[in-house]
């Protein structure tokens, strides 16, 4: 019996998900023995045309990481979707947009002008910007077109399963691959990670009060952090209650609040909205002025609650003013 | 001729209202039985408490075509469940800041404390908000997403129904 | 008939890139361009973020060297709040940083750039990858490489939560001390790291230096440029990755300046070309004179070869001996042969391992005093470290709450970008003549950039993504006349 074919591909990614696969270490040799990798650009020599030549549906699983923000990436995602029985969105960026999704707080033009016009170290007098097409002696050079909006993988193609995390924890990757090989997958659309909140797994769980309220919010550098007490109880913006477990509480173990990279449990539509809701409701203050003052200590709601999930959120991105002349400070 | 037509085509804002059962919804009932006239632009959804208001409801409403969202709850101290309205206020404050960051006018989302006997306040608030949102204009998120670009990127779905029916992924 | 050859994508590096080669009427190279095709916009979307979030946000610039960004960012936070971490915190930071260097340099040599030599540039394309390396050096050796990385990553996760995208740095210190019961593990792995470093250098000796053809490639003019070199050094002018000043030497080896990282704007500027998203840095007072080398051009180089050239030695004994042998073999300082980067990288690996061993045994690293709480109002901070791929600058300004107003990042590979462009252009000219393009020729061109271990993801603060390589050759009327496929690794 022939081995199932699998493919790995990265769209707009930092490479951390590929490194996570390399971090399977010796276990990857077992995977290689059980499957036939037909496409893995970082490691093997198969080309886009080789994938296009495969019969539709002949790849058992494609693992695709990275968000989608160019037409090139979109095309590759579409090709792999056609050729694969299953597509797994691998990692935060493919799942919910990831850190690059914060680019959705600005326009493409703003991202470009900051880099190529406003940086203090730019060569003076060099008003050049990268161009989609530029003429040089002897020919024309091209660069791909970028999109205004960073998108998740499932906003571009149908996705069968999600492997969350930035990057996905190695034990979840191993679990997912084994489930696929044994044909023991849950229903389509599922996330291949436990469906409980991080608090369940956190070593500080026992210290979490029955009724958890926060008198005052703190940022991690403002206080000495107790190594054993629940971080929320200490006033830190730990998103554990809203975040899916599976990472063995990697960050809270080292005294840093969870930032939510594993995404939400199945009971939540918009991670950031729910995180805002949970954190706001914990505040002790009841007077309007106290509430305002305390919440002002959360200096960046968008970045704190939506760091990995802005493209997947209900509102997706920042919107231009109704009347362009009324530019509101953001 | 065309001017007359454009007069008839005055923008009618669509406002979704989340009213708490014990206070605001009762007040709205009162306004209705007292035949107080107020703008017909508001669709009311009853929650048992303003503390049930999840920011996801507000964002879903805006994505789903609402030009504004009104939240009504009991005055502080009067909540049927003690603290629900305090939670609503805390969530509302954070939500306003986030909406501003996202370029959506915070005036489109309003929180009011309306007691069960304050039918007149319901009338006043609804009328005011309707005019306010009318002046702001239609929300039109999908148009505001494409900024002077004709890049061939797929538009995001603005209809939420399929996603919500399937259980959560939007 | 002018021809235009596009190599898209280039492979065995972090990130997205392509090379465009324009030929003249005789089929000889008119000019070759190294293009980086993406932008993510970190410098803009950093605006509005709390500064203390930046180590974890900027680490997402690159999943191969997240620790480099995390560390530069943390150093910028120290400066932002004008807070001095306790000595133990510096030591633990440097310890984890050396662990990262050993792991990352090993990754490059065995998985990315090294296969060009270990397996050979002429090897069948299907073998020019880690699997081919395992075949060439044997499975036991291969397991040694995998095992070493596993142990190093394990220590990183132990101390920092995650090896990929750590949660660790704070202004004034680190989030958690190392527990006393874990120190033994650090010492143990460090010992093996030193052995592994020596073993890697031996592989280089046996496989590369003993092969006359490879030595000819290394010393050939095709892969040689005479630029300025920049690297971080300590107060004895020895290579240091974590803390020090930046030293620049001229193509003839003279020291031309030394400056603290905080004064980078006086010395470094960025040039933009329309055909790449990557900006090219250069030495400001010499100026941008175009894509050319020599003392009149402001183009400088960073990363292993440059660091060895710019310093006066290595701070640890075994690495120092290797350093001396390196320069004795290659004819003195400075060495201008780009491919010598592969050798220099292994010497740095050895230094990192020895330094790791020094720090692992230091009783201070299990101190519980690893944080100084900031008390000053933040305004502006600059953090500079040596990333494996070169000097890395993070520069933030904030409001009084410590919320980012501006962020300027000059990333390691940008500091090599101009020289990489030169190297690719020259390699293309030497390798390609009369329009004859084949797999071997293409690989010789790619070897030119691979030696720098570039990180294009970093260089454009972009979203890198590599795809398999396809070369299409078109004539002037855009008719496809030749198509060549080659494997990425």
């Amino acid at each position: 019996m022939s081995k199932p074919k699998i493919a790995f591909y990265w769209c707009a990614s930092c490479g951390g998900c590929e490194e996570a696969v390399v971090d399977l270490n010796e276990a990857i040799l077992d995977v290689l023995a059980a499957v036939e990798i037909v496409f893995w650009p970082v490691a093997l020599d198969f080309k886009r045309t080789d994938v296009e030549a495969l019969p539709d549906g002949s790849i058992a699983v494609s693992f695709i990481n990275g968000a989608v923000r160019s037409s090139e990436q979109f095309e590759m995602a579409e090709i792999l979707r056609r050729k694969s029985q299953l597509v797994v969105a691998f990692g935060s960026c493919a799942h919910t947009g990831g850190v690059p999704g914060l680019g959705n707080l600005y326009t493409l033009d703003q991202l470009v002008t900051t880099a190529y016009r406003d940086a203090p170290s730019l060569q003076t007098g060099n008003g050049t910007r990268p161009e989609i097409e530029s003429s040089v002696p002897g020919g024309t050079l091209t660069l791909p077109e970028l999109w205004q909006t960073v998108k998740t993988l499932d906003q571009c193609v149908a996705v069968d399963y999600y492997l969350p995390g930035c990057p996905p924890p190695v034990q979840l990757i191993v679990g997912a691959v084994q489930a696929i090989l044994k044909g023991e997958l849950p229903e389509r659309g599922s996330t291949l990670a436990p469906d409980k909140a991080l608090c369940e797994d956190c070593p500080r769980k026992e210290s979490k009060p029955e009724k958890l309220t926060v008198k005052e919010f703190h940022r991690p550098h403002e206080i000495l952090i107790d190594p054993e007490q629940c971080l929320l109880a200490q006033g830190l913006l730990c998103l554990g209650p809203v975040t899916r477990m599976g990472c063995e509480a990697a960050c809270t173990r080292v005294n840093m609040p969870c930032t939510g990279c594993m995404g939400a449990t199945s009971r939540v539509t918009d991670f950031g909205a729910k995180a805002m809701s949970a954190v706001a409701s914990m505040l002790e203050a009841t007077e309007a002025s106290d509430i305002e003052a305390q919440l002002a200590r959360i200096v960046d709601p968008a970045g704190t609650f939506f760091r990995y999930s802005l493209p997947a959120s209900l509102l997706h991105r920042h919107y231009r003013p109704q009347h362009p002349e009324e530019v509101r400070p953001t | 001729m065309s001017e007359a037509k454009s007069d008839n085509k005055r923008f009618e804002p669509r406002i979704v209202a989340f009213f708490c059962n014990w206070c605001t919804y009762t007040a709205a009932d009162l306004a209705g039985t007292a035949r107080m006239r107020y703008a017909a632009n508001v669709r009311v959804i009853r929650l048992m408490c303003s503390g049930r208001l999840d920011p996801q409801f507000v964002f879903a409403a805006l994505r789903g075509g609402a030009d504004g969202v009104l939240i009504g709850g009991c005055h502080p101290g009067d909540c049927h469940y003690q603290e629900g309205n305090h939670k609503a206020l805390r969530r509302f404050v954070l939500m306003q800041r986030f909406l501003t960051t996202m370029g959506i006018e915070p005036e489109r989302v309003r929180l009011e404390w309306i007691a069960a006997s304050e039918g007149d306040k319901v009338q006043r608030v609804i009328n005011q908000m309707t005019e306010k949102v009318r002046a702001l204009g239609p929300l039109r998120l999908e148009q505001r997403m494409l900024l002077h670009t004709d890049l061939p990127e797929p538009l995001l779905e603005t209809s939420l129904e399929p996603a919500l029916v399937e259980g959560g992924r939007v | 008939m002018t021809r235009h050859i596009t190599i898209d994508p280039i492979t065995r590096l972090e990130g997205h890139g392509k090379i465009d080669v324009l030929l003249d009427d005789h089929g000889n190279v008119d000019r070759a361009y190294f293009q980086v095709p993406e932008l993510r916009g970190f410098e803009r979307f950093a605006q509005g973020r709390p500064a203390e979030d930046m180590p974890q946000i900027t680490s997402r610039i690159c999943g191969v060297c997240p620790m480099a960004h995390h560390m530069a960012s943390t150093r910028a936070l120290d400066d932002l709040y004008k807070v001095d971490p306790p000595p133990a915190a510096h030591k633990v930071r440097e310890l984890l940083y050396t662990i990262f260097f050993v792991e990352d340099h090993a990754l490059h040599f065995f998985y990315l750039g090294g296969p060009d030599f270990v397996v050979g540039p002429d090897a069948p394309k299907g073998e020019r990858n880690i699997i081919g390396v395992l075949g060439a050096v044997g499975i036991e050796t291969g397991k040694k490489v995998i095992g070493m990385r596993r142990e190093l990553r394990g220590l990183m996760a132990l101390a920092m939560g995650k090896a990929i995208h750590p949660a660790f740095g704070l202004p004034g210190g680190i989030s958690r001390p190392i527990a006393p019961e874990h120190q033994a593990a650090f010492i143990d792995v460090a010992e093996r790291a030193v052995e592994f470093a020596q073993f890697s250098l031996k592989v280089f000796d046996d496989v590369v230096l003993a092969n006359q053809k490879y030595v000819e490639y290394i010393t050939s003019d095709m892969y040689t440029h005479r630029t300025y070199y920049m690297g971080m050094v300590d107060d004895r002018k020895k290579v240091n990755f974590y803390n020090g000043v930046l030293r620049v030497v001229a193509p003839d080896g003279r020291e031309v300046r030394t400056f603290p990282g905080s004064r980078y704007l006086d010395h470094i500027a960025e040039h933009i070309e329309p055909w790449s998203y990557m900006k090219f840095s250069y030495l400001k007072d010499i100026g941008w004179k175009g894509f050319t080398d020599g003392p009149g051009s402001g183009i400088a180089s960073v990363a292993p070869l440059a660091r060895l050239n710019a310093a006066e030695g290595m701070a640890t004994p075994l690495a120092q001996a290797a350093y001396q042998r390196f320069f004795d073999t290659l004819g003195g300082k400075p060495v201008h042969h780009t491919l010598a980067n592969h050798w220099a990288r292994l010497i740095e690996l050895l230094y990192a391992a020895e330094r790791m061993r020094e720090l692992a045994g230091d009783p201070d690293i299990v101190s519980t005093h690893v944080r100084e709480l900031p008390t000053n109002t933040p305004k502006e901070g600059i953090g500079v470290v040596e990333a494996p791929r070169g000097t890395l600058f993070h520069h933030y300004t904030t409001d009084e709450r410590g919320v980012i107003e501006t962020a300027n990042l000059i990333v390691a590979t940008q500091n090599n970008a101009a020289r990489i462009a030169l190297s690719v252009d020259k390699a293309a000219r030497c390798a390609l003549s009369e329009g004859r393009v084949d797999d071997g020729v293409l690989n010789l061109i790619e070897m030119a950039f691979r030696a720098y271990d570039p990180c294009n993801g970093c260089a454009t603060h972009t979203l890198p993504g590599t795809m398999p390589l396809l070369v299409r050759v078109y004539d002037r009327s855009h008719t496809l006349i030749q198509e060549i496929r080659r494997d990425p690794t």
Side-chain angles (χ1 to χ4, degrees):
Chain A
M1 190 163 89
S2 65
K3 297 196 238 179
K5 295 178 167 47
I6 72 169
F8 290 96
Y9 182 68
W10 48 359
C11 297
S13 102
C14 73
C17 286
E18 309 295 292
E19 281 263 339
V21 174
V22 174
D23 278 353
L24 292 180
N25 299 315
E26 291 86 352
I28 203 168
L29 299 171
D30 299 330
V31 173
L32 289 174
V35 303
E36 182 194 344
I37 303 181
V38 296
F39 188 58
W40 193 7
V42 79
L44 301 176
D45 62 344
F46 302 106
K47 324 300 181 277
R48 171 173 168 157
T49 47
D50 291 312
V51 182
E52 284 170 334
L54 289 172
D56 285 2
S58 58
I59 299 177
V61 190
S62 279
F63 295 92
I64 304 178
N65 71 75
V68 181
R69 85 157 309 151
S70 80
S71 47
E72 227 172 25
Q73 290 147 11
F74 181 68
E75 282 161 23
M76 279 311 306
E78 284 196 309
I79 291 168
L80 284 168
R81 173 70 272 185
R82 240 187 359 266
K83 303 300 173 183
S84 308
Q85 291 158 38
L86 296 177
V87 166
V88 176
F90 190 105
S92 263
C93 295
H95 180 210
T96 53
V99 168
L102 291 174
N104 279 358
L105 290 173
Y106 295 103
T107 66
L108 181 60
D109 193 58
Q110 285 172 321
L111 302 182
V112 169
T113 52
T114 298
Y116 303 106
R117 187 194 66 191
D118 300 338
S121 39
L122 292 177
Q123 181 184 23
T124 47
N126 180 212
T128 318
R129 292 212 193 159
E131 304 284 350
I132 301 302
E133 277 190 5
S134 50
S135 293
V136 294
T140 306
L141 301 177
T142 60
L143 291 173
E145 288 195 51
L146 303 176
W147 287 351
Q148 278 292 343
T149 302
V150 178
K151 295 189 171 64
T152 64
L153 187 62
D154 67 6
Q155 286 167 354
C156 300
V157 298
V159 168
D160 298 295
Y161 295 99
Y162 302 88
L163 244 184
C166 182
V170 171
Q171 59 271 27
L172 288 190
I173 300 174
V174 171
V177 171
Q178 282 173 352
I180 289 165
L181 291 176
K182 290 187 204 161
E184 284 170 6
L185 286 166
E187 65 172 322
R188 286 197 179 200
S190 298
T191 300
L192 301 174
D195 199 12
K196 288 191 176 166
L198 183 75
C199 296
E200 194 60 37
D201 217 18
C202 181
R204 301 167 191 254
K205 186 167 68 167
E206 301 308 316
S207 74
K208 188 169 147 187
E210 175 93 22
K211 185 168 158 121
L212 179 57
T213 57
V214 176
K215 198 161 157 58
E216 186 171 52
F217 290 115
H218 296 294
R219 290 154 69 181
H221 62 286
E222 291 176 338
I223 58 167
L224 288 177
I225 302 171
D226 184 301
E228 268 147 35
Q229 195 197 10
C230 169
L231 295 175
L232 267 168
Q234 297 182 57
L236 295 170
L237 290 170
C238 182
L239 302 183
V242 201
T243 306
R244 199 183 276 262
M245 66 182 268
C247 61
E248 293 175 6
C251 297
T252 63
R253 269 175 213 284
V254 289
N255 286 347
M256 291 295 266
C258 167
T259 57
C261 79
M262 287 286 288
T265 60
S266 62
R267 298 170 282 288
V268 169
T269 299
D270 181 334
F271 178 90
K274 206 62 172 167
M276 269 200 303
S277 182
V279 166
S281 63
M282 278 174 214
L283 192 57
E284 254 175 42
T286 54
E287 295 294 319
S289 56
D290 290 338
I291 290 174
E292 295 261 2
Q294 270 311 312
L295 291 178
R297 294 178 64 77
I298 300 177
V299 292
D300 177 27
T304 300
F305 300 118
F306 294 85
R307 185 187 291 185
Y308 305 94
S309 63
L310 195 60
S313 72
L314 285 163
L315 293 175
H316 294 307
R317 65 157 297 125
H318 169 271
Y319 295 90
R320 71 179 162 129
Q322 192 83 337
H323 305 285
E325 63 274 11
E326 293 164 18
V327 177
R328 288 163 192 269
T330 52
Chain B
M1 236 345 220
S2 55
E3 274 151 8
K5 264 194 184 165
S6 67
D7 270 352
N8 292 340
K9 282 197 171 167
R10 190 164 83 136
F11 161 57
E12 287 301 334
R14 291 190 297 179
I15 295 170
V16 173
F18 296 94
F19 286 167
C20 97
N21 175 62
W22 302 101
C23 287
T24 314
Y25 195 82
T26 303
D29 250 357
L30 183 63
T33 53
R35 301 198 194 283
M36 292 183 193
R37 302 189 68 180
Y38 55 80
N41 301 67
V42 173
R43 281 89 163 145
V44 176
I45 296 171
R46 180 168 61 143
L47 304 175
M48 290 313 290
C49 177
S50 58
R52 178 65 183 95
L53 181 85
D54 189 326
Q56 292 180 112
F57 299 169
V58 175
F59 301 152
L62 295 174
R63 257 285 296 282
D67 302 298
V69 176
L70 174 61
I71 306 152
C74 303
H75 287 269
D78 294 347
C79 176
H80 189 83
Y81 305 101
Q82 312 270 315
E83 303 177 7
N85 52 358
H86 296 143
K87 294 188 183 181
L89 177 56
R90 297 172 200 138
R91 291 176 181 136
F92 174 75
V93 168
L94 259 187
M95 226 178 7
Q96 292 298 70
R97 290 178 55 202
F98 176 65
L99 287 171
T100 307
T101 302
M102 297 296 264
I104 294 173
E105 302 86 340
E107 299 87 350
R108 293 185 184 269
V109 179
R110 180 168 171 176
L111 173 67
E112 280 296 336
W113 307 131
I114 301 176
S117 58
E118 291 183 297
D120 56 332
K121 190 169 181 185
V122 172
Q123 176 193 44
R124 196 169 63 247
V125 167
I126 286 179
N127 286 341
Q128 272 176 6
M129 186 158 182
T130 301
E131 290 320 305
K132 179 77 199 176
V133 178
R134 196 195 307 279
L136 287 172
L139 182 54
R140 289 214 187 111
L141 287 181
E142 64 274 20
Q143 268 123 308
R144 290 166 67 173
M145 200 185 302
L146 298 175
L147 294 122
H148 315 295
T149 178
D150 51 8
L151 289 176
E153 50 183 280
L155 288 179
L156 289 167
E157 284 299 307
T158 48
S159 166
L160 287 175
E161 204 176 307
L164 291 174
V165 164
E166 279 160 38
R169 294 282 315 165
V170 291
Chain C
M1 185 155 57
T2 308
R3 290 182 189 177
H4 183 153
I5 300 172
T6 303
I7 306 176
D8 186 8
I10 53 177
T11 61
R12 266 188 289 141
L13 80 168
E14 292 71 59
H16 219 154
K18 60 177 183 143
I19 294 173
D20 276 77
V21 184
L22 301 181
L23 305 183
D24 65 19
D25 293 344
H26 304 286
N28 294 321
V29 175
D30 194 36
R31 179 75 192 272
Y33 297 84
F34 180 79
Q35 298 180 270
V36 181
E38 279 181 296
L39 172 73
R40 240 173 329 183
F42 275 80
E43 285 158 323
R44 182 60 192 240
F45 69 69
Q47 293 179 13
R49 314 280 77 75
E52 72 276 11
D53 284 358
M54 291 295 277
Q56 288 195 53
I57 289 176
T58 58
S59 79
R60 269 78 181 184
I61 291 173
C62 178
V64 179
C65 60
M67 187 63 173
H69 287 288
H70 193 89
M71 196 59 79
S73 187
T74 303
R75 299 293 277 135
L77 294 181
D78 291 340
D79 190 33
L80 180 70
Y81 282 96
K82 303 289 181 271
V83 61
D84 235 335
H90 280 300
K91 287 183 181 178
V92 176
R93 284 181 185 177
E94 196 184 346
L95 171 60
L96 269 310
Y97 205 54
T98 58
I99 294 173
F100 159 65
F101 249 84
V102 175
E103 179 270 311
D104 197 358
H105 274 355
L107 179 86
H108 186 265
F109 183 69
F110 288 100
Y111 289 73
L112 301 176
D116 284 323
F117 291 102
V118 179
V119 188
D122 298 342
K125 45 193 176 176
E127 287 169 29
R128 284 196 311 259
N129 52 45
I130 176 61
I131 301 173
V133 168
L134 296 182
V137 301
I139 194 68
E140 279 315 303
T141 301
K143 282 188 174 170
K144 198 165 167 162
V145 175
I146 294 176
M148 186 79 254
R149 274 195 82 250
R150 177 171 37 76
E151 291 196 286
L152 294 165
R153 299 290 251 192
L155 291 179
M156 291 169 79
L158 183 64
M160 305 190 297
K162 291 152 68 174
I164 303 172
H165 304 315
F168 178 63
L170 286 168
I174 58 174
S175 65
R176 193 187 72 164
I178 294 180
E181 61 269 23
H182 292 152
Q183 185 170 22
F186 281 90
I187 293 170
D188 191 36
V189 176
E191 208 48 67
R192 274 197 289 293
V194 174
E195 280 167 24
F196 176 80
Q198 291 171 302
F199 149 79
S200 303
L201 277 164
K202 181 143 194 329
V203 168
F204 193 83
D205 263 356
D206 294 344
V207 170
V208 181
L209 294 178
N211 183 320
Q212 189 52 34
K213 193 166 74 154
Y214 292 169
V215 173
E216 276 167 20
Y217 273 127
I218 293 173
T219 54
S220 71
D221 187 63
M222 177 167 154
Y223 294 112
T224 298
H225 279 99
R226 289 171 177 75
T227 61
Y228 289 83
Y229 299 97
M230 178 169 76
M232 184 177 276
V233 297
D234 65 19
D235 51 18
R236 291 170 305 139
K237 301 193 180 150
K238 313 284 185 186
V239 171
N240 195 294
F241 303 134
Y242 174 71
N243 190 28
V245 292
L246 298 176
R247 187 169 189 251
V248 180
V249 300
D252 64 3
R254 279 175 311 116
E255 174 184 309
V256 291
R257 71 182 54 83
T258 299
F259 60 95
S262 55
R263 312 266 0 150
Y264 81 100
L265 283 173
D266 295 339
H267 300 277
I268 312 277
E270 297 176 284
H271 171 83
I272 303 169
E273 288 283 345
W275 39 264
S276 182
Y277 282 108
M278 178 160 72
K279 293 181 277 187
F280 302 87
S281 82
Y282 64 96
L283 295 169
K284 206 164 163 175
D285 56 359
I286 297 167
W288 178 262
K289 305 290 171 56
F291 288 96
T292 174
D293 65 345
S297 163
I299 291 179
S301 179
V302 294
L305 176 62
R307 285 192 284 252
L308 266 55
N309 279 336
E312 287 188 350
M314 309 302 285
T316 55
L318 295 173
Q320 175 61 22
Y323 175 99
Q324 273 162 348
R325 179 169 171 245
F326 175 81
F327 287 113
D328 289 343
T329 307
L330 292 174
K333 288 183 75 178
V335 166
H336 297 294
H337 304 305
T338 303
L339 297 182
N341 261 296
H342 292 288
W343 190 357
R345 187 166 293 112
L346 296 178
I347 297 172
E348 287 195 329
L349 202 166
L350 179 55
Y351 160 64
E354 287 183 280
R355 183 72 182 126
M356 177 189 170
R357 187 168 59 180
E358 279 174 10
L359 288 165
D362 189 325
D364 274 356
I365 64 146
V366 296
S367 162
T368 51
H369 183 43
V370 291
R371 288 196 53 201
E372 228 23 269
L373 286 182
T375 52
N376 296 316
T377 304
K379 193 159 143 56
E380 184 170 14
I382 298 174
V384 183
V385 296
E386 287 291 329
R389 295 159 183 86
T391 318
L392 171 58
F393 301 87
H394 278 219
H395 179 185
Y396 310 145
T397 65
T398 70
D399 66 15
E400 69 286 348
R401 300 171 303 161
V403 174
I404 299 280
E405 288 181 334
T406 67
N408 192 35
L409 311 172
I410 301 187
V411 186
T413 296
Q414 284 181 263
N415 295 319
N416 263 337
R419 188 172 158 141
I420 293 174
L422 288 178
S423 294
V424 164
D425 180 47
K426 193 169 190 180
R429 285 163 199 275
C430 296
L432 214 160
S433 60
E434 289 156 18
R436 275 183 291 105
V437 176
D438 62 25
D439 174 67
V441 163
L442 295 177
N443 197 44
L444 288 177
I445 299 173
E446 290 199 63
M447 276 167 59
F449 73 73
R450 233 174 253 132
Y452 297 92
D453 182 14
C455 189
N456 287 350
C458 290
T460 56
H461 333 326
T462 75
L463 300 160
T466 59
M467 292 198 292
L469 175 59
L470 176 66
V471 177
R472 291 197 171 115
V473 182
Y474 294 91
D475 68 14
R476 199 198 290 249
S477 60
H478 296 289
T479 307
L480 179 64
I481 55 175
Q482 188 182 9
E483 191 170 286
I484 300 160
R485 291 150 192 237
R486 52 170 311 177
D487 63 282
T489 61

